[in-house]
Amino acid sequence: MDKRTKFTLDEKEMPTHWYNIQADLPKPLPPGLHPGTGKPLTPDDLAPLFPMELIKQEVSTERWIEIPDEVRDIYRLWRPTTLFRAHRLEKALDTPAKIFYKYEGTSPPGSHKPNTAVAQAYYNKQEGTKRITTETGAGQWGSALSFGCACFGIELKVYMVAISYHQKPYRRIMMETWGAKCVPSPSPDTKTGRDMLAKDPECPGSLGLAISEAVEDCVTHENTKYSLGSVLNHVLLHQTINGIETKKLMEQADAYPDIIVGCIGGGSNFAGLFLPFVKDKIDGTKPDLRIINVEPASCPTVTKGPYAYDFGDSAKLAPIVKMYTLGHGFIPPPVHAGGLRYHGMAPIICHLHQLGFVEARAEHQIATFKAGVTFARAEGIISAPETNHCIKVAIDEALKCRESGEAKTILIAHSGHGHVDMAAYDAYLSGKLIDYEYPKEMVEAALSELPKVG
Amino acid sequence: MDKRTKFTLDEKEMPTHWYNIQADLPKPLPPGLHPGTGKPLTPDDLAPLFPMELIKQEVSTERWIEIPDEVRDIYRLWRPTTLFRAHRLEKALDTPAKIFYKYEGTSPPGSHKPNTAVAQAYYNKQEGTKRITTETGAGQWGSALSFGCACFGIELKVYMVAISYHQKPYRRIMMETWGAKCVPSPSPDTKTGRDMLAKDPECPGSLGLAISEAVEDCVTHENTKYSLGSVLNHVLLHQTINGIETKKLMEQADAYPDIIVGCIGGGSNFAGLFLPFVKDKIDGTKPDLRIINVEPASCPTVTKGPYAYDFGDSAKLAPIVKMYTLGHGFIPPPVHAGGLRYHGMAPIICHLHQLGFVEARAEHQIATFKAGVTFARAEGIISAPETNHCIKVAIDEALKCRESGEAKTILIAHSGHGHVDMAAYDAYLSGKLIDYEYPKEMVEAALSELPKVG
């Protein structure tokens, strides 16, 4: 047996450019629309929110975009990340499949998120931004951007969904350790927040509301920009460093995936890994490559939602984009995989799904934790609840191989560790975890509110 | 400037042998004594507790001891670990010093502990052990041994100090995720525990009591052995893989440390790193190398304790060894660095201190967290409270270099991350952390109880 477990690159071999899928799409992405006018977005529309370099990246069709040296210097703290061959998991499953996982959990905040957080902080710094606002749900993104802003000495204000702020203090403390200010949303710091608190002082908050507060704070303060951690094209672009590394490392392992699996919430982690591979499917080099997006059965955006123009946020302040959506007013059930609780999906992923290059699957949370525990006992790593979704599908595919005798190569996009999600494992291990059914009626109600555009 | 940040070894270059300092000590270690008779320990005395191979390693004077392939196969999941050059910390401190840190936080449980946990589980498996018992304070060791036992299919029972069991559930859940059983100590599962609960149903427990329960459970059950995570010679031996890697990596960086700093509780992490270097001081190759052990000011074993024979545990069931000690009955103040709250110290470290090869320093916890936050904002990693102790001293030494203009090379033994210690950072950041004075009278009382032996 080939015993090699880890495939690594020296930091000298770290990619120098991000890969921009927009150069290779057989059809261009449908344009984003202005939330107020419904007309195609212009760079000027976005200028109050983002630095110009990121706005340019959002619409660029250049294939390779250079990673600034200052960003690479910080990436070096944890990148390139390791590709693992899951020998011990294969043995536990008694499968002829070859399972690999690219692990993003060694970054300081413990996930893929800083790949874009550091880049966004850098471009803001370059253009004179003194302060950034953002929102966060369970806190993965907020902690990553806190780290990014600490690297460049930018002030950061994070609006954290109130219920998570109170129930999950560890991510909030991480943000503060890196020097950011984090407040529960709704907060008294914005008109949106004050209005909501006047209506309901005990309001638990939502991601949509937190986005509204962060955007309002941005546009009402000097030298302040706003930052988003997923969905947008420039975010996915920054994540492609992961896929470029993985392609090199799979070559080192003398392998190419038959199946790539990843979890999708807004889609940035998985897209970052698969975009450099999907290129091979688009150009016909690897027609049989399967790319499987895995989402929660209780928030099945791609598997059940229509492909339609919708707002990125519930308060209708964010751009309108064409995507699979469950409706901008939909509030997903409280699954532990907080990073997958989003009504929409990255337009790039939706477009590739429409074109038939990627597929989607939905999983219930109890089954995903069962898979996560199997993975932890074999490979050691305790994975984030989000990641457990694609581990579940990888195990299913490996077990199919056991039946068929095929030695397929399965690649998992492992987004990070679950060190601050142990309460979810506790619920699973003590039999208290529940599955949430697909809330069909709530989705239908939310879908009736789609904007009449496009 | 040399920009290189990370120095890594391919898994093919992973050390094949542990380094045994007992081969190179100018004077042999004083013998361990039987806790009942006070006579020198024989292998037969230890046989009820440990597998024979570990007992042999405990007294071996062979210089290199081969690491079994099965252990190396599991080490591959995270080893070799990375040596970092702390460019960003150097810049933040404006120091000419070159600061390096060897980071053990990427192991599944997040610390150096599995280096010995995996080895101990392996030797137990080889000798037919079906079940292991151990104790744990804050849970680092218990979680590491849970992972180790999961790797070899051995049942594990962990007695966790009750107050930590209730206050710090995350480590307990990690243990359960890897399949171990964890109970609060005192527990109703042993006579020692029942007696204590009868006396005080609300007893918060102590490490000494938990050791007693684990040992009692071991000797009263079939096919059961006991395991200890620090202090003993074989534990330090297994940790030397870290120092051997570090020596190779420092060569890669074309550097040799002037100063090595590490935190010490039982001493296993730091000894694992410095033992392969102290060899160079013993044989006269590097007479100016300084090795600084850092302990809490409130539990200053080496800086304030006498060098004397004492019991390893408060219940007087563990062997009597010659070490610096604050007395086996001493209960250290509740500093957040739970891994440094031990009355004694590894005999090997104490012996080297006696011989003048290593020095010791004590630090208060507020200053260590201040240093930890400086480190996190520069290098990204949020460190364990234990590790913050040596980061504090490294920063002090780097600032001395700023004064003197010397470009000293400082190497930090970074034992692991602080992801499940965020409550301690919260206390520091919100100004609620307190320093504990050295409890002189309690120590004097405890020292009056030293055994009359040796």
Side-chain angles (χ1 to χ4, degrees):
Chain A
M1 186 184 75
D2 173 13
K3 282 189 139 187
R4 205 159 161 203
T5 299
K6 292 197 302 296
F7 301 87
T8 54
L9 295 171
D10 188 89
E11 64 183 34
K12 286 192 301 288
E13 303 168 283
M14 193 198 296
T16 54
H17 291 72
W18 293 300
Y19 168 63
N20 183 7
I21 187 75
Q22 293 193 73
D24 292 311
L25 290 173
K27 272 175 60 178
L29 285 171
L33 309 177
H34 189 283
T37 65
K39 292 194 178 144
L41 278 175
T42 67
D44 283 353
D45 293 334
L46 296 171
L49 298 179
F50 303 110
M52 198 44 68
E53 201 57 33
L54 292 178
I55 295 171
K56 282 188 203 158
Q57 290 178 359
E58 190 65 19
V59 294
S60 170
T61 53
E62 215 178 310
R63 183 169 291 114
W64 296 101
I65 294 181
E66 191 169 6
I67 308 175
D69 279 350
E70 294 85 343
V71 172
R72 282 163 42 87
D73 273 354
I74 294 169
Y75 280 172
R76 284 172 216 274
L77 293 175
W78 76 97
R79 303 209 74 84
T81 59
T82 301
L83 175 72
F84 289 85
R85 169 82 185 271
H87 287 298
R88 293 178 50 81
L89 179 62
E90 292 167 20
K91 200 174 161 199
L93 299 175
D94 189 22
T95 176
K98 292 173 185 158
I99 307 174
F100 291 84
Y101 55 100
K102 182 72 165 10
Y103 182 50
E104 290 287 289
T106 54
S107 78
S111 78
H112 63 289
K113 290 284 186 194
N115 295 332
T116 186
V118 169
Q120 291 192 45
Y122 167 76
Y123 290 117
N124 271 289
K125 183 73 179 181
Q126 284 301 100
E127 299 186 25
T129 306
K130 300 280 184 232
R131 182 171 173 274
I132 296 178
T133 63
T134 197
E135 70 289 328
T136 197
Q140 276 284 8
W141 168 243
S143 56
L145 191 60
S146 301
F147 163 65
C149 285
C151 294
F152 292 104
I154 301 173
E155 201 184 318
L156 176 66
K157 172 91 167 268
V158 183
Y159 292 87
M160 184 170 185
V161 175
I163 189 165
S164 293
Y165 180 95
H166 295 297
Q167 285 181 352
K168 302 185 174 182
Y170 275 28
R171 286 270 164 210
R172 187 255 306 161
I173 307 165
M174 282 186 176
M175 297 179 218
E176 292 170 350
T177 299
W178 283 309
K181 186 167 166 58
C182 175
V183 295
S185 166
S187 79
D189 300 358
T190 67
K191 183 175 180 309
T192 310
R194 287 188 296 273
D195 287 352
M196 180 54 83
L197 288 170
K199 241 192 292 181
D200 177 8
E202 303 300 316
C203 173
S206 72
L207 204 54
L209 188 69
I211 295 178
S212 309
E213 287 203 79
V215 170
E216 181 189 325
D217 181 326
C218 165
V219 297
T220 56
H221 283 82
E222 293 280 307
N223 276 323
T224 298
K225 296 285 183 195
Y226 166 75
S227 171
L228 195 66
S230 191
V231 179
L232 298 178
N233 303 341
H234 69 266
V235 178
L236 273 57
L237 172 76
H238 301 155
Q239 294 293 350
T240 59
I241 187 169
N242 187 24
I244 300 164
E245 286 175 6
T246 309
K247 267 191 116 167
K248 287 194 198 181
L249 290 166
M250 290 296 288
E251 278 171 34
Q252 234 191 64
D254 201 16
Y256 191 94
D258 295 300
I259 300 171
I260 315 183
V261 294
C263 61
I264 50 168
S268 73
N269 171 60
F270 190 30
L273 187 124
F274 81 65
L275 288 175
F277 287 93
V278 82
K279 181 177 180 298
D280 301 342
K281 198 171 161 79
I282 292 173
D283 71 16
T285 321
K286 295 285 180 184
D288 298 329
L289 169 63
R290 290 180 60 200
I291 297 168
I292 308 175
N293 292 280
V294 189
E295 54 187 14
S298 58
C299 185
T301 312
V302 182
T303 48
K304 298 250 174 144
Y307 183 57
Y309 269 106
D310 196 6
F311 295 97
D313 69 322
S314 58
K316 307 185 193 180
L317 294 169
I320 302 173
V321 292
K322 195 151 186 192
M323 59 184 177
Y324 291 91
T325 179
L326 300 172
H328 59 270
F330 173 61
I331 297 175
V335 289
H336 284 280
L340 307 185
R341 295 179 62 238
Y342 183 61
H343 71 275
M345 185 54 57
I348 285 176
I349 291 184
C350 299
H351 188 63
L352 289 167
H353 191 269
Q354 274 288 308
L355 297 172
F357 292 114
V358 302
E359 52 193 290
R361 208 172 289 177
E363 296 291 343
H364 281 290
Q365 74 174 347
I366 293 177
T368 67
F369 275 93
K370 181 164 184 268
V373 169
T374 299
F375 188 86
R377 291 184 185 175
E379 295 293 316
I381 293 168
I382 296 177
S383 308
E386 291 82 359
T387 317
N388 286 342
H389 283 70
C390 55
I391 291 173
K392 160 68 168 63
V393 171
I395 289 176
D396 285 349
E397 293 294 328
L399 293 176
K400 280 185 207 164
C401 287
R402 184 170 71 187
E403 296 308 309
S404 69
E406 287 172 291
K408 283 191 181 162
T409 297
I410 301 169
L411 169 62
I412 298 170
H414 196 303
S415 59
H417 64 66
H419 300 167
V420 294
D421 300 291
M422 295 313 300
Y425 279 87
D426 200 25
Y428 168 71
L429 292 166
S430 59
K432 288 177 193 148
L433 201 66
I434 58 167
D435 281 337
Y436 296 94
E437 286 312 306
Y438 168 53
K440 193 158 176 272
E441 286 176 19
M442 283 173 60
V443 170
E444 281 168 0
L447 288 175
S448 71
E449 304 285 328
L450 292 187
K452 307 280 180 287
V453 293
Chain B
M1 186 184 76
D2 173 12
K3 283 189 137 187
R4 204 159 162 204
T5 299
K6 293 197 301 299
F7 301 86
T8 54
L9 297 171
D10 188 89
E11 64 183 36
K12 287 193 300 287
E13 303 168 282
M14 193 198 297
T16 54
H17 292 72
W18 293 301
Y19 167 63
N20 183 8
I21 187 74
Q22 293 193 73
D24 291 311
L25 290 173
K27 268 176 62 178
L29 286 170
L33 308 177
H34 189 283
T37 64
K39 291 196 178 143
L41 277 174
T42 66
D44 283 354
D45 293 333
L46 296 171
L49 298 179
F50 303 110
M52 198 43 70
E53 201 57 34
L54 293 178
I55 296 171
K56 282 189 204 158
Q57 290 178 358
E58 189 64 20
V59 295
S60 170
T61 52
E62 215 178 310
R63 182 169 291 114
W64 297 101
I65 294 179
E66 192 168 7
I67 308 175
D69 278 350
E70 293 85 343
V71 172
R72 280 163 43 88
D73 274 353
I74 295 169
Y75 280 172
R76 284 173 217 274
L77 293 175
W78 75 97
R79 304 209 73 86
T81 60
T82 301
L83 175 73
F84 289 85
R85 169 81 185 270
H87 288 297
R88 292 178 51 80
L89 179 62
E90 292 167 19
K91 201 175 160 197
L93 300 175
D94 189 22
T95 176
K98 293 174 185 158
I99 307 175
F100 291 85
Y101 54 100
K102 181 73 162 17
Y103 183 49
E104 289 287 290
T106 53
S107 77
S111 78
H112 63 290
K113 291 283 187 192
N115 295 332
T116 186
V118 169
Q120 291 192 44
Y122 167 77
Y123 290 117
N124 270 289
K125 184 73 179 180
Q126 284 300 100
E127 299 185 24
T129 306
K130 301 280 184 234
R131 184 171 173 274
I132 295 177
T133 64
T134 197
E135 71 289 328
T136 198
Q140 276 284 9
W141 168 243
S143 56
L145 191 60
S146 300
F147 163 65
C149 286
C151 293
F152 292 104
I154 300 174
E155 198 183 321
L156 176 67
K157 171 92 168 269
V158 183
Y159 291 87
M160 184 171 184
V161 174
I163 189 164
S164 293
Y165 180 95
H166 296 296
Q167 285 180 353
K168 301 187 175 180
Y170 274 29
R171 286 270 163 211
R172 187 255 307 160
I173 306 165
M174 284 187 174
M175 296 179 219
E176 291 169 351
T177 299
W178 283 311
K181 186 167 166 55
C182 175
V183 295
S185 166
S187 78
D189 301 358
T190 66
K191 184 175 179 307
T192 310
R194 286 189 296 273
D195 287 352
M196 179 54 82
L197 288 170
K199 241 192 290 181
D200 176 8
E202 302 300 315
C203 173
S206 73
L207 204 54
L209 188 68
I211 295 178
S212 308
E213 286 203 81
V215 169
E216 181 190 324
D217 181 326
C218 165
V219 297
T220 55
H221 283 81
E222 292 280 306
N223 276 322
T224 298
K225 296 285 184 193
Y226 166 75
S227 171
L228 195 67
S230 190
V231 179
L232 298 179
N233 304 339
H234 69 266
V235 177
L236 274 57
L237 173 76
H238 301 154
Q239 294 293 351
T240 60
I241 187 169
N242 187 25
I244 300 165
E245 287 176 7
T246 308
K247 267 191 117 167
K248 287 193 199 181
L249 290 165
M250 289 295 290
E251 277 172 35
Q252 237 190 61
D254 201 17
Y256 191 93
D258 295 301
I259 300 171
I260 314 182
V261 294
C263 61
I264 49 168
S268 73
N269 171 61
F270 190 30
L273 186 123
F274 80 66
L275 288 176
F277 286 93
V278 82
K279 180 177 180 300
D280 301 340
K281 198 170 161 79
I282 293 173
D283 71 16
T285 320
K286 296 286 181 184
D288 298 329
L289 169 64
R290 289 180 60 201
I291 296 167
I292 308 176
N293 291 280
V294 189
E295 54 188 15
S298 58
C299 185
T301 312
V302 182
T303 48
K304 298 251 175 146
Y307 184 57
Y309 269 106
D310 196 6
F311 296 97
D313 68 322
S314 58
K316 308 186 193 182
L317 294 171
I320 302 172
V321 291
K322 196 153 188 191
M323 60 184 175
Y324 290 91
T325 179
L326 300 171
H328 59 272
F330 174 60
I331 296 176
V335 289
H336 284 280
L340 308 186
R341 295 179 64 238
Y342 184 61
H343 71 276
M345 185 55 57
I348 285 175
I349 291 185
C350 299
H351 188 63
L352 288 167
H353 192 270
Q354 273 288 309
L355 296 173
F357 292 113
V358 302
E359 52 194 290
R361 208 172 288 178
E363 296 291 343
H364 280 290
Q365 74 174 347
I366 292 177
T368 67
F369 275 93
K370 180 164 185 270
V373 169
T374 299
F375 189 86
R377 291 186 185 173
E379 295 293 315
I381 293 168
I382 296 177
S383 309
E386 290 82 359
T387 317
N388 286 343
H389 283 70
C390 55
I391 291 175
K392 161 69 168 66
V393 170
I395 289 177
D396 285 350
E397 293 294 328
L399 293 176
K400 279 186 208 164
C401 287
R402 183 169 73 187
E403 296 307 310
S404 68
E406 289 172 289
K408 285 191 181 164
T409 297
I410 301 169
L411 170 62
I412 299 170
H414 197 302
S415 59
H417 65 65
H419 300 167
V420 295
D421 300 292
M422 294 315 299
Y425 279 86
D426 200 25
Y428 168 72
L429 292 166
S430 59
K432 288 178 193 147
L433 201 66
I434 58 167
D435 280 338
Y436 296 95
E437 287 312 306
Y438 167 54
K440 192 157 176 274
E441 285 175 18
M442 281 174 63
V443 170
E444 280 168 1
L447 288 176
S448 71
E449 304 286 326
L450 292 187
K452 308 279 180 289
V453 292

